[in-house]
Amino acid sequence: MVEVTVTPRSSLADRPVQIRVRGLSPSQLVTLRAWLKDEQGERFQSRAFFRADGAGEVDPGLHAALGGSYSGVWPMGLLWFLQPDTLFRRLVKRDVAGSPFRVRLEVLDGLCLGADPPEAPLASCEAERWFVGPGVQRVPVREGRVRGALFLPP
């Protein structure tokens, strides 16, 4: 049974996570796909192609991506290389304190190049990426022409 995990499942957006896939056949070719929808409902996604090791596992922190949105060893590549489905859109989080980005990770059999995979994923999971930690206070700043926010730790 194929399983994909993200550790930790809920974390701050600037903290690294470990993505691992287990239960594949040795040397099986798979596509790892990450996608999310922003606050306006726009989808951003990335994908990377991997060949499972002898134990049937894929770890983007150890195994090089063979292509897709990036190539080489990038532990956080699936999250760093998210691209919009619609050109000229930017991934921006406006409500930084109220809700996380929910990133869906999927393992697809073989090379999947299309925006929408034709088959169901072999495995999937969801990770939360928060922008403000628990207890952090947000103070609006308006001084002269300066506009911003000050985030104070608990």
Side-chain angles (χ1 to χ4, degrees):
M1 180 173 153
V2 179
E3 175 187 31
V4 59
T5 58
V6 178
T7 309
R9 187 160 260 173
S10 182
S11 64
L12 290 173
D14 63 344
R15 300 287 188 231
V17 295
Q18 182 181 35
I19 300 169
R20 294 194 68 182
V21 180
R22 294 185 178 101
L24 299 168
S25 300
S27 299
Q28 182 176 351
L29 194 58
V30 294
T31 300
L32 266 63
R33 175 179 176 235
W35 64 273
L36 62 84
K37 287 194 176 184
D38 69 4
E39 293 158 331
Q40 284 75 44
E42 184 67 37
R43 185 172 64 176
F44 291 76
Q45 61 180 320
S46 64
R47 69 189 71 242
F49 312 129
F50 291 92
R51 186 170 299 282
D53 64 12
E57 296 184 0
V58 170
D59 181 344
L62 299 174
H63 304 117
L66 306 173
S69 301
Y70 67 95
S71 60
V73 178
W74 292 81
M76 299 287 292
L78 288 167
L79 301 176
W80 288 343
F81 292 98
L82 290 166
Q83 294 293 316
D85 283 357
T86 305
L87 292 176
F88 308 113
R89 298 285 189 163
R90 290 187 314 161
L91 185 57
V92 176
K93 183 72 170 145
R94 299 211 185 277
D95 180 17
V96 294
S99 64
F101 272 141
R102 297 183 195 289
V103 182
R104 187 94 178 142
L105 292 156
E106 298 175 339
V107 181
L108 305 161
D109 191 25
L111 299 179
C112 184
L113 300 172
D116 293 307
E119 300 175 11
L122 299 173
S124 64
C125 72
E126 189 173 83
E128 292 182 345
R129 303 292 282 169
W130 289 89
F131 286 81
V132 176
V136 172
Q137 180 185 3
R138 182 181 188 272
V139 179
V141 175
R142 293 181 158 250
E143 188 68 36
R145 293 175 35 179
V146 175
R147 301 288 182 267
L150 173 64
F151 292 89
L152 297 171

